[in-house]
Amino acid sequence: MKTHIYPQEVANLHTHSHYCGHGNGEIAEYVDAARSAGLTLLGFSEHCPLPDDRYRSTRMAFADQARYEADVRAQDGYGEMTILLGYECDYHSVYHSYLNEVAERTDYLLGAVHFLNAAGEADDSLFYRPLVKRDLTRYADRYCAMLQSGLFLYGVHPDLFTYSYQVWDSEATAISRAIIECALSEGVGLEINGYGLQKLVVPTADGMTHSYPHARFWALAGEYPGLRVVSSSDAHTPGDVAYGIEETGALARASALERSSYRLSDRGIELYQAQ
Ligand SMILES: [Zn+2]
Ligand SMILES: [Zn+2]
């Protein structure tokens, strides 16, 4: 295979569909929309089902997994466009071997933290209640464990905790640095998430704004040379497949961040930093 470099402006690896139950649109409709938007690299990253159907309310049934994978693999990339198969996964170490199997038959995995609980505890979504200081430590611990698992190309929306912790204080700074330093030492990317730009506008210390992507988080990230940063639309509807490309790029520039490109070769998909 010839090595190909895709800058962020023509790529999106964070894409959902009707399969997860809270997105809509057929896989083929996303491919059409990506072509219209001028993307040349499109990756599908549905919320990964687990064998015990845990977190079923936010993802496809485990029984639908093969159908999703076949659907993505069947897409024709219209010549120039490359289409990849992936998943966005919540990580618990008890699912490590299962996720490793998924990684082996797909092109890449994205890591996420949507739940604060440990594997053996009741599900505790960070969307459904305000967070307090000690929750932030749990979030950072979960996020770093995900980054350290070695399974993921990049971590999605690392600043998602700001959705339910709407002040920016020393605790927010401390756990943000912990996450960024972990990503840096592991060589795993962090994602500026375009979907957050569509979410509710809330009062913050910086005025009325969406909670994530959070300018203060990314300003901190800009202090770490060598940190790998990407952006995505996190599309849940076909028309959003390239949503926020300009805005997330502008946020990166304002934060003194040079985003990585993607390099596709015989080794698979990797983050690539132009020198
Ligand atoms: Zn989703
Ligand atoms: Zn997502």
XYZ file of all heavy atoms in Angstrom, residues 39 84 122:
21
model
N -14.198 15.683 1.994
C -13.315 14.822 2.798
C -12.727 13.724 1.909
O -13.394 13.226 0.998
C -14.088 14.168 3.953
C -14.722 15.091 4.992
C -15.312 14.261 6.136
C -13.738 16.110 5.528
N -12.645 3.975 6.555
C -12.097 3.086 7.582
C -13.186 2.665 8.563
O -14.163 3.387 8.787
C -10.970 3.782 8.346
C -9.755 4.240 7.518
C -8.728 4.903 8.432
C -9.121 3.075 6.766
N -22.258 0.565 39.719
C -23.418 0.964 38.915
C -23.003 2.064 37.931
O -22.120 2.877 38.226
C -24.522 1.471 39.826
